[in-house]
Amino acid sequence: MSEPSSHQFPASPHSARLIAPAERTVLATALEASLLLCFFLFYLFCFEPLSAVNGPAEIFGQDSVYILKYLDQARPYRWNPQSHLLYHVVVEQGFRFWRVWGGPGIESTYHYLKFFTALCGLGFLVTMTWLFRELRLAAGARVVLLLLTGVSISAWFHFAAFETHSLALPMLGLYLVALARMRSRPTRSRGDRLLLIAALVLCGLTRVDLFRFAATSGLLLFLPRVRHWWRTLVVDLAIVALLAVAGTTLLARLYFDGLHGEAATSALQRNDRKSLENRLWRVSNLTPGPLWDVGRAVSLYSLLMPVEPRPAQRSFFALPTYDYDPRRSERPKYSSTGLFLQPMLNLTDNALSLLTLTATLLAFGWALALTARRIAVGDPFHTLLAAQVLSGWLFYTLFNPFEPFLWIVEFLPLWIAMFADHSRERGSQHWLALAALAVLVATHNTFAFYLPFR
């Protein structure tokens, strides 16, 4: 059997059923657009202002309550803004325009942040749809993948609450589009190069830890299937590095009134939790326990909400619940991101979670096995996906394995891209199974996340 060309990989006979034809029907396009709009509205309205996700009883140790407080008071954000400068600049400048007609006050601020974050969610799903089109998936296949992406716990939380990660997710979608184009097109157009540069720069300026995507992309220079583009790739990555320094300096000047030196050099520090002092950036973090905690979070818990152990008196067939109301608890049961350190075995304590866990693990195992085969034949798309997952896993374990919830959402598009590219070679039975997984994930997260914390 002859080896596939450097830009095409073999497809099964079933793939013809799923590859999108040149002409799309109005009905198929309307279905896809309707789902995107539904997710925007879903993220916008699915949590109350005083919920455990948005309000003062927040459980996940995220930034929502502080972002709301400082924005309402027209004060610069206090907690590590140097790590996510572009987010704060965009949000605060946007709020100045919002207040012209929305007015001041905590309620107006809340509605602005909800709208902004839901809009980021819409942008992320649009870029993922663009990726699915680049991978030549038909409308029905794209709808299934959009559903799975949108109801995952990491996307659901980060686009229904307000978090600094939300602005970075559309950029990651664009990065994946750039990688897919690099594999499938015989030449790199100027637009393709600008897409890669813009995605990497904007992503890193939004959250400084995400410059890791640019660093890991240097692997492209050594991959045989794209090595003939090494000159343009060197130039592109050099431009990314220059814009990263210039952009960070400019944003710091704007945000800190010229105190950019201290802000830039203190990136990736944590000044908000005394419990983390002398525990970050330790080689001792790269031991089996922390590696497992972070690895479990950035893979399994990017899709599924973890659960508590089932109380002895509850039936195995009871739905996953929590034994307290975080809005009324004087002493919250969990601090910071404690829920996302819960053992995976807790998901075997009730029938719904066990079924969802089994389906999710099968999906991950199937995707990773096929990705290993693609890497073996030199597929640059899957090689970079795997490299980004592995480098991110090691980076966050070394940096801070004690708050794994903070890192999960940027891994979600990588997993979805793996599922999508492998799925384009499958028939209708595969897509029915993937649709069933999306329904299970949505149901589990409804009972384990939305209903307890709404």
Side-chain angles (χ1 to χ4, degrees):
M1 180 180 295
S2 62
E3 177 132 346
S5 71
S6 63
H7 300 291
Q8 294 291 335
F9 287 84
S12 73
H14 296 297
S15 63
R17 306 177 196 172
L18 293 173
I19 294 176
E23 305 85 12
R24 295 281 6 124
T25 64
V26 174
L27 180 61
T29 303
L31 176 63
E32 189 175 29
S34 297
L35 183 60
L36 291 170
L37 177 61
C38 286
F39 267 119
F40 170 74
L41 296 175
F42 174 68
Y43 294 143
L44 188 61
F45 294 112
C46 72
F47 281 105
E48 300 173 358
L50 295 180
S51 70
V53 169
N54 288 333
E58 64 177 8
I59 189 174
F60 297 145
Q62 76 281 6
D63 298 329
S64 295
V65 67
Y66 305 107
I67 293 173
L68 177 62
K69 171 185 174 181
Y70 284 97
L71 187 60
D72 177 58
Q73 296 175 354
R75 296 165 57 194
Y77 187 69
R78 178 179 177 184
W79 303 112
N80 308 303
Q82 73 280 357
S83 299
H84 18 79
L85 279 169
L86 183 61
Y87 175 86
H88 297 295
V89 170
V90 170
V91 165
E92 292 177 21
Q93 293 300 319
F95 188 54
R96 293 185 179 184
F97 292 100
W98 174 279
R99 292 181 65 172
V100 172
W101 63 272
I106 195 71
E107 184 176 353
S108 175
T109 309
Y110 172 82
H111 289 307
Y112 165 73
L113 285 171
K114 288 287 287 185
F115 178 80
F116 177 85
T117 310
L119 196 62
C120 288
L122 177 62
F124 170 61
L125 294 179
V126 167
T127 61
M128 293 302 289
T129 301
W130 186 1
L131 172 66
F132 302 152
R133 288 176 180 266
E134 286 291 331
L135 298 177
R136 298 189 300 161
L137 296 178
R142 298 198 301 268
V143 166
V144 170
L145 286 166
L146 277 177
L147 180 62
L148 178 61
T149 306
V151 299
S152 67
I153 181 60
S154 53
W156 191 340
F157 168 79
H158 282 89
F159 298 128
F162 356 109
E163 254 290 351
T164 58
H165 300 260
S166 61
L167 187 59
L169 267 292
M171 317 307 174
L172 285 181
L174 295 179
Y175 172 70
L176 294 174
V177 171
L179 289 184
R181 288 186 169 192
M182 194 176 300
R183 180 185 64 177
S184 63
R185 299 188 175 191
T187 60
R188 292 190 72 208
S189 68
R190 184 176 299 174
D192 293 341
R193 295 179 63 185
L194 290 175
L195 184 65
L196 178 67
I197 293 169
L200 290 173
V201 172
L202 293 175
C203 194
L205 292 179
T206 302
R207 285 192 57 89
V208 70
D209 56 298
L210 297 184
F211 276 125
R212 66 181 177 83
F213 278 89
T216 305
S217 295
L219 181 62
L220 289 167
L221 299 173
F222 305 98
L223 299 181
R225 299 282 172 100
V226 294
R227 194 164 50 197
H228 54 286
W229 287 325
W230 71 270
R231 289 184 178 84
T232 60
L233 285 170
V234 167
V235 172
D236 293 349
L237 293 176
I239 291 173
V240 169
L242 290 174
L243 292 178
V245 175
T248 300
T249 301
L250 175 61
L251 290 173
R253 283 182 179 274
L254 290 173
Y255 201 76
F256 295 104
D257 295 326
L259 301 178
H260 58 285
E262 180 182 355
T265 57
S266 62
L268 287 180
Q269 290 185 8
R270 293 300 303 273
N271 304 316
D272 54 336
R273 293 192 175 105
K274 293 294 183 182
S275 61
L276 295 178
E277 288 184 359
N278 302 318
R279 302 178 72 191
L280 306 182
W281 294 117
R282 294 290 182 267
V283 176
S284 58
N285 291 338
L286 294 174
T287 52
L291 282 167
W292 171 253
D293 288 342
V294 176
R296 176 184 56 203
V298 301
S299 55
L300 181 64
Y301 292 163
S302 69
L303 289 176
L304 299 184
M305 178 69 185
V307 298
E308 297 176 313
R310 174 172 56 92
Q313 68 273 18
R314 290 188 62 82
S315 167
F316 173 72
F317 296 98
L319 295 169
T321 59
Y322 296 88
D323 60 2
Y324 78 109
D325 183 340
R327 289 167 290 184
R328 296 182 175 86
S329 175
E330 294 182 0
R331 299 183 63 187
K333 186 172 183 179
Y334 299 102
S335 62
S336 187
T337 58
L339 265 177
F340 286 78
L341 290 168
Q342 291 293 300
M344 180 177 64
L345 288 178
N346 289 358
L347 292 165
T348 67
D349 282 350
N350 68 81
L352 172 62
S353 297
L354 175 59
L355 183 59
T356 310
L357 171 65
T358 302
T360 304
L361 291 178
L362 287 173
F364 272 112
W366 162 80
L368 290 172
L370 290 182
T371 288
R373 290 172 56 186
R374 290 292 187 91
I375 293 173
V377 298
D379 186 326
F381 184 71
H382 286 276
T383 300
L384 258 293
L385 290 180
Q388 294 293 1
V389 167
L390 181 60
S391 62
W393 175 29
L394 295 175
F395 174 81
Y396 290 124
T397 305
L398 176 66
F399 171 48
N400 179 6
F402 311 106
E403 301 173 302
F405 176 72
L406 299 178
W407 321 126
I408 63 175
V409 70
E410 285 89 5
F411 288 81
L412 176 67
L414 304 177
W415 303 125
I416 297 298
M418 285 187 187
F419 294 159
D421 197 49
H422 296 317
S423 296
R424 69 191 177 100
E425 301 178 3
R426 305 292 163 171
S428 57
Q429 290 182 340
H430 169 83
W431 286 103
L432 288 174
L434 204 57
L437 172 63
V439 171
L440 283 172
V441 170
T443 306
H444 168 84
N445 288 342
T446 297
F447 287 100
F449 170 60
Y450 175 64
L451 292 180
F453 303 130
R454 70 186 187 280

